[in-house]
Amino acid sequence: MKEKVKLLVIDDDPTVSWLLSEGLGEGYEVLTARDGNEGIKFFSQSRPDLILLDIKMPGLNGIQVLEQIKEMDRLSEVIMLSGHGETKNVVESIRLGASEFINKPFDVKEVEIHIQKVLEKNKLKKELDLLKSELQAKSQYDKLIGESSKMIEVKSLIEQVADSELTVLIRGESGTGKEIVARMIHSLSSRRNEPFIKQNCAAIPRELLEAELFGYEKGAFTGAHKTKPGRFETAHKGTMFLDEIGDMPLELQAKLLQVLEQHEFVRVGGIKNIQVDVRIVCATNRDLEKALEKQLIRDDLYYRLNEVTINLPALREMREDIPFLVDHFLKKYNLNYKKNYAQLSPKSIKLLQEFGWPGNVRQLENLIKQIVVREDENIIAETIRATIVPSETIEEFGAPAGEKEYSLKKRVARSTANQEKKLILEVLNKTNWNRRKASELLEISYRSLLYKIKEYRINETGE
Ligand SMILES: Nc1ncnc2c1ncn2[C@@H]1O[C@H](COP(=O)(O)OP(=O)(O)OP(=O)(O)O)[C@@H](O)[C@H]1O
Ligand SMILES: [Mg+2]
């Protein structure tokens, strides 16, 4: 069965509303509002496919209502109903984005033709957007570079879950591509034509975050001069990307859970439930399990967010992808800066592959950008020397889990062990794992090299 077209008629004249609800027939579901305020309320609650809006009404007039509706949803389709001699209003309505005009008095058949015309145009526009975003999705998809087994796993998981309604949690250190993945999920889903809205949950005060996400009613707090819809409303029918979800204040987590479970929420200072249809994707580089333990995150929310988790590898866990990434970024920045720095020397690539990359792909990308701009790859050594690699990215050998070691002797011993491990791995890679040659270069005996390889659990993947 064909879905009914949801119409909202906003007119103070009951005969107009009556005529339309009775006259339009089976294919329409008509909701009527008697004035502007009621119309706006119904609009935000029921999200009609099309609105028929009278210009002249007591209280809020049609132009004011149009302005507010467009503010809530830029893409909503509104047909204005106008009486005689309202040319000025017609011009203003066009400026505000009305789709059509119908002069009063009208014939219902004529109204139906206009409605069909607007809906048809809307459908074509959506189809065009779909084609565009499919093209974009393709090029965006190409942008997640990496052929290592970990990256292939990530890409196939994205393909599997993109076109579902599952909530996806993307985890990974800073700079590992969490945002690219979130955008990919959206553009590979059937929501691709609808908005992708991003909100970072860290680094803004709780009150502000609440107002941003859920909107507020006029007068809800000092400075709230008019009602403002929140990002969840803007994201209606699309995808909401909540970045740094691990930093969401506890008080807001209950509200988020309500959106996830009941698809509704209340604006700040409001009492009405607002319905939204939003797919949620979130990301974090925090240890959520630790946050859970410390009760910084509600456990019901944690389990609800965890429907699917995509773990992005750190760059040091996919070193074999470094040459591909380098190539990709070289192309990108040569094009951007009209340069012709085609490739790096094998020595430079090797240096890059041995580095710890605390800033992951983002850090690599920035370095390549600088190389292209300055046309000098000697800055690699400089950068590597200048970067402090935190101990977790060196994979500390034999460190006690979780607690800090203050004994100077033990600390130095461990740090020496780490240095040794790194150097041995470097030399082994250099000699293509020719242990005899490596021991010569390291100036230690062959036997002690074998012993150290075993003791430090060094293997060819470098992990
Ligand atoms: N696998 C990849 N292929 C190509 N580009 C990548 C890849 N991973 C990351 N990038 C690039 O690295 C930069 C950082 O990526 P992104 O912003 O998605 O990281 P993030 O995980 O969200 O980091 P943060 O936690 O700091 O916000 C972007 O410019 C992105 O294009
Ligand atoms: Mg990010």
Side-chain angles (χ1 to χ4, degrees):
M1 209 178 73
K2 232 181 110 189
E3 241 183 86
K4 289 191 174 193
V5 176
K6 237 162 121 184
L7 282 187
L8 170 63
V9 179
I10 310 174
D11 199 316
D12 59 312
D13 181 352
T15 37
V16 169
S17 305
W18 180 82
L19 213 65
L20 291 167
S21 1
E22 294 300 310
L24 281 171
E26 279 293 288
Y28 298 87
E29 183 189 324
V30 183
L31 189 68
T32 60
R34 281 159 309 176
D35 60 39
N37 278 324
E38 195 175 58
I40 290 166
K41 194 173 85 189
F42 287 176
F43 172 77
S44 71
Q45 284 167 5
S46 72
R47 303 280 168 175
D49 300 309
L50 198 148
I51 301 139
L52 288 154
L53 174 60
D54 186 24
I55 293 188
K56 227 165 131 192
M57 289 186 289
L60 283 183
N61 67 31
I63 304 287
Q64 290 163 317
V65 176
L66 175 65
E67 196 172 5
Q68 288 197 32
I69 285 179
K70 285 284 175 181
E71 206 175 281
M72 281 191 243
D73 181 1
R74 205 172 38 82
L75 302 172
S76 53
E77 300 285 0
V78 185
I79 298 181
M80 307 300 284
L81 304 171
S82 69
H84 280 301
E86 288 179 350
T87 335
K88 200 178 106 235
N89 289 328
V90 170
V91 175
E92 183 62 4
S93 312
I94 295 176
R95 195 184 64 77
L96 292 171
S99 321
E100 279 284 332
F101 289 89
I102 297 174
N103 281 323
K104 284 186 184 180
F106 52 71
D107 177 346
V108 178
K109 282 275 159 286
E110 180 199 347
V111 175
E112 191 165 6
I113 292 171
H114 280 288
I115 292 176
Q116 290 304 334
K117 196 167 123 194
V118 171
L119 292 177
E120 188 58 30
K121 227 163 56 188
N122 185 278
K123 203 172 126 216
L124 284 177
K125 206 175 127 260
K126 287 209 161 145
E127 278 168 7
L128 191 69
D129 281 355
L130 179 73
L131 285 175
K132 267 196 218 152
S133 70
E134 263 167 10
L135 269 177
Q136 237 169 30
K138 246 186 140 57
S139 65
Q140 209 153 40
Y141 189 57
D142 287 342
K143 273 190 215 150
L144 195 67
I145 304 293
E147 300 305 324
S148 58
S149 55
K150 284 191 165 135
M151 255 349 232
I152 286 177
E153 214 175 287
V154 165
K155 287 185 193 174
S156 93
L157 194 52
I158 292 171
E159 277 182 359
Q160 282 170 39
V161 302
D163 204 8
S164 72
E165 291 295 297
L166 292 172
T167 303
V168 182
L169 175 63
I170 307 165
R171 300 179 69 162
E173 291 176 14
S174 179
T176 46
K178 296 187 291 296
E179 187 164 343
I180 303 192
V181 171
R183 289 182 190 278
M184 273 173 65
I185 290 174
H186 174 72
S187 42
L188 293 171
S189 79
S190 50
R191 294 173 177 263
R192 60 178 78 85
N193 278 353
E194 308 292 341
F196 174 89
I197 305 290
K198 172 185 159 180
Q199 174 68 50
N200 190 324
C201 303
I204 94 169
R206 185 190 76 80
E207 290 77 16
L208 217 61
L209 181 62
E210 181 172 13
E212 277 294 323
L213 285 175
F214 303 102
Y216 50 82
E217 296 292 340
K218 185 174 170 179
F221 45 82
T222 339
H225 298 304
K226 59 177 180 177
T227 297
K228 190 174 173 248
R231 289 184 185 236
F232 273 111
E233 285 166 85
T234 321
H236 183 60
K237 292 191 176 165
T239 306
M240 179 82 191
F241 173 42
L242 296 170
D243 205 359
E244 318 265 7
I245 188 79
D247 293 273
M248 176 169 265
L250 210 50
E251 302 93 313
L252 293 188
Q253 291 178 19
K255 236 173 146 167
L256 173 61
L257 199 63
Q258 200 193 357
V259 177
L260 281 161
E261 290 186 336
Q262 272 117 41
H263 309 284
E264 63 181 26
F265 62 89
V266 178
R267 287 187 186 139
V268 179
I271 43 166
K272 280 262 147 13
N273 276 326
I274 293 182
Q275 303 278 338
V276 282
D277 164 20
V278 174
R279 200 263 182 97
I280 294 178
V281 173
C282 36
T284 184
N285 55 21
R286 285 258 208 146
D287 185 344
L288 287 187
E289 288 67 30
K290 213 175 248 166
L292 195 67
E293 224 169 81
K294 289 189 185 159
Q295 301 189 335
L296 294 172
I297 186 157
R298 295 172 61 117
D299 47 2
D300 43 6
L301 179 66
Y302 171 80
Y303 292 113
R304 189 64 180 67
L305 292 179
N306 243 336
E307 286 181 343
V308 184
T309 299
I310 299 183
N311 284 306
L312 290 182
L315 185 52
R316 63 182 178 285
E317 297 171 306
M318 44 182 256
R319 296 182 196 274
E320 63 267 48
D321 283 333
I322 289 179
F324 298 115
L325 286 160
V326 167
D327 204 45
H328 173 71
F329 295 133
L330 279 175
K331 284 198 184 104
K332 175 172 166 184
Y333 290 107
N334 273 319
L335 202 69
N336 270 7
Y337 294 104
K338 299 195 174 53
K339 298 271 187 185
N340 200 6
Y341 203 88
Q343 65 182 62
L344 303 188
S345 70
K347 195 171 143 242
S348 294
I349 297 279
K350 190 145 181 302
L351 265 180
L352 296 177
Q353 276 183 305
E354 279 161 6
F355 185 50
W357 297 113
N360 295 298
V361 182
R362 180 184 290 116
Q363 192 184 9
L364 175 64
E365 179 172 359
N366 286 340
L367 180 57
I368 303 297
K369 181 161 87 180
Q370 285 183 48
I371 292 174
V372 172
V373 171
R374 291 162 59 178
E375 302 185 48
D376 174 13
E377 64 190 82
N378 291 323
I379 57 176
I380 294 176
E382 264 170 52
T383 310
I384 289 178
R385 233 178 291 121
T387 310
I388 297 164
V389 180
S391 56
E392 69 263 27
T393 57
I394 313 180
E395 296 135 32
E396 273 206 70
F397 179 74
E403 68 195 64
K404 197 147 177 85
E405 177 64 80
Y406 288 111
S407 152
L408 182 65
K409 213 164 146 190
K410 284 187 192 157
R411 192 71 204 232
V412 170
R414 211 169 53 238
S415 142
T416 313
N418 275 319
Q419 294 288 335
E420 271 194 27
K421 185 183 170 188
K422 266 184 73 179
L423 187 65
I424 292 171
L425 182 63
E426 191 180 323
V427 175
L428 281 168
N429 282 334
K430 199 179 164 73
T431 57
N432 254 333
W433 276 72
N434 182 330
R435 293 165 180 81
R436 179 80 54 198
K437 231 166 154 182
S439 68
E440 277 166 22
L441 277 171
L442 289 159
E443 298 186 3
I444 54 172
S445 75
Y446 181 61
R447 271 185 60 142
S448 57
L449 174 63
L450 292 188
Y451 173 76
K452 281 180 194 292
I453 290 174
K454 209 165 145 217
E455 188 194 12
Y456 295 150
R457 298 194 294 267
I458 298 173
N459 58 42
E460 295 195 31
T461 58
E463 284 167 5

